[in-house]
Amino acid sequence: MNFLSLENSCRNMTPKIITLKEKKLIGLSAEMSLLDNKTPQLWKTFRQRSKEVDHRASEDFISLQQYPSHYFERFSAGSEFVKWACVEVDEVDNIPEGMNMLLLETGLYAVFHYTGSAQNAPTFFQYIYGEWIPNSEYQLDGRPHFEVLGAKYKNNDPNSEEEVWIPIKAK
């Protein structure tokens, strides 16, 4: 997909507005920045160990970002955030060694459907943060941002599909 067709598809994109119910997640996390991106190593390690997680709620994987409160106001590619490679669980009675549990709180989310490779993702996110949110009746909320990597997710494939969950609240 070229830049122009991606830009046009973003302009026509309307997210679903969903109230997320509390979720329990188990996985690995790492502090990083866009300049010091440790995502490939984090996911490689978690994928190798994901079978250790008991009581999975689905086969989906979740890529989650916890941004500091000032992250989007003073954005810099060197700004640090916490990235999680994780899965949702129905219950937590055993957390594998070296992994942690994260409670994703109930809240409102704008859910976008993304099709494409990671290469085109910056334009997609630029649309969300630079156009959709400022022109909507919502603003960013301070809760985690995440992507649901389901059965149609194929790493670095132009036909890959995922759900992008952006935390929002009324302006």
Side-chain angles (χ1 to χ4, degrees), residues 40-55:
Q41 304 94 304
L42 179 67
W43 273 103
K44 181 180 180 189
T45 303
F46 183 67
R47 287 268 187 179
Q48 291 170 343
R49 296 192 57 207
S50 64
K51 298 242 184 285
E52 297 174 33
V53 179
D54 295 329
H55 310 293

Side-chain angles (χ1 to χ4, degrees), residues 20-35:
L20 177 84
K21 293 190 167 116
E22 181 180 274
K23 293 185 178 294
K24 297 180 219 69
L25 308 175
I26 292 181
L28 297 173
S29 64
E31 197 166 298
M32 65 180 73
S33 70
L34 295 177
L35 291 177

Side-chain angles (χ1 to χ4, degrees), residues 23-26 43 46-47 49-63 85-90 147-154 161:
K23 293 185 178 294
K24 297 180 219 69
L25 308 175
I26 292 181
W43 273 103
F46 183 67
R47 287 268 187 179
R49 296 192 57 207
S50 64
K51 298 242 184 285
E52 297 174 33
V53 179
D54 295 329
H55 310 293
R56 286 184 63 171
S58 75
E59 292 299 310
D60 296 345
F61 286 88
I62 296 174
S63 179
C86 52
V87 293
E88 181 183 359
V89 295
D90 293 320
E147 297 81 43
V148 176
L149 312 176
K152 294 183 178 182
Y153 176 78
K154 296 169 185 63
E161 296 182 36

